[in-house]
Amino acid sequence: MDNNQGKIGCTKGCWLVAILSGVLVAILLMVLGGWSFWSGLFAGLVIAGLAGVLLNWIMCKPLPAAGVVSSGQKPAAAPKAETEARPAGADDAAPAKPAVAAPAATAAVKPAAGEQPKPAAKAKPAATPKPKAATTPDAGAGSKPAALAAARDGGADNLKQIKGVGPKLEAVLNGMGFYHFDQVANWGADEIAWVDQNLEGFKGRVSRDEWVAQAKVLAEGGTTEFSSKVKKGNVY
């Protein structure tokens, strides 16, 4: 009796929804589609009928009675008795204790009885490198030219007239005892090599700029293209 009442209620609800849908469709066709009253009413009835049948078929299927097994479905197997699931005397058996892992053997080996432990070898300190002997300023090939303690009575020559000798380098040459053109003009190969090695910050300048050749011209009272510029004040 309950199933029949539920099916009747479901059918009523489905047809009510279908009729409302048909009325809504008819109104929309007449208002928006420009259909006539009878055409819209006919279309609404058709839509309501189709919707009622479809909803009733989908929503109001009869439910199977309780306890009835549908075809192809096997009944559920009855649970086995508890006495079959557990062996006899299982309640009395105490739970097995987990095995305790044996402690790992210590890595350190104890010395034998009466044997003294050997002390750890001490690391030797790294040998400190010995400082290299400083080279003397006159090291290298050549020999030192003859130098003067001071300029001659006439005063020092303007060594800046030699190309490659600026104010700073002139002061260095004067400090080494070289003041005049004839001193530079008399340097031989050994003297040139020595001066080239001992000009701090200006090594190799004597031979590179050919000081000796320029000094010979200037010592004889001549001029060079560079010395003319120096005299006119166009260089320093």
Side-chain angles (χ1 to χ4, degrees):
M1 186 67 180
D2 292 338
N3 289 337
N4 292 331
Q5 290 178 354
K7 184 176 180 181
I8 294 172
C10 179
T11 303
K12 290 180 178 180
C14 292
W15 279 107
L16 179 61
V17 173
I19 293 171
L20 292 176
S21 300
V23 172
L24 180 62
V25 170
I27 293 173
L28 291 175
L29 291 175
M30 287 185 289
V31 174
L32 300 179
W35 288 34
S36 65
F37 174 79
W38 295 109
S39 299
L41 180 61
F42 178 76
L45 291 176
V46 173
I47 296 297
L50 293 176
V53 173
L54 183 61
L55 289 174
N56 190 34
W57 180 74
I58 294 174
M59 303 297 294
C60 300
K61 287 183 178 181
L63 296 176
V68 179
V69 180
S70 59
S71 59
Q73 184 178 5
K74 295 180 180 180
K80 293 183 180 180
E82 187 177 357
T83 57
E84 295 179 3
R86 292 191 297 175
D91 294 338
D92 299 334
K97 296 182 180 180
V100 180
T106 56
V109 179
K110 294 183 178 180
E115 183 180 355
Q116 297 294 332
K118 295 182 180 180
K122 295 182 179 180
K124 295 182 180 180
T128 55
K130 296 181 180 180
K132 295 182 180 180
T135 56
T136 56
D138 56 348
S143 58
K144 183 177 180 179
L148 299 175
R152 301 189 188 107
D153 295 338
D157 293 331
N158 185 5
L159 298 181
K160 293 189 295 296
Q161 293 184 22
I162 300 175
K163 185 178 181 180
V165 180
K168 185 175 181 179
L169 188 49
E170 184 183 40
V172 173
L173 291 172
N174 292 160
M176 297 172 69
F178 308 125
Y179 299 93
H180 303 282
F181 295 133
D182 58 352
Q183 286 181 276
V184 180
N186 292 327
W187 290 347
D190 291 342
E191 288 83 3
I192 292 173
W194 187 92
V195 178
D196 271 340
Q197 290 293 324
N198 291 275
L199 284 176
E200 293 297 332
F202 303 95
K203 291 184 179 182
R205 184 65 62 86
V206 180
S207 56
R208 185 167 65 249
D209 292 332
E210 299 180 351
W211 286 8
V212 175
Q214 297 181 65
K216 286 181 179 179
V217 176
L218 297 173
E220 294 173 357
T223 57
T224 62
E225 182 179 357
F226 184 78
S227 66
S228 299
K229 295 180 181 180
V230 175
K231 290 179 180 179
K232 293 178 181 179
N234 296 331
V235 180
Y236 304 109

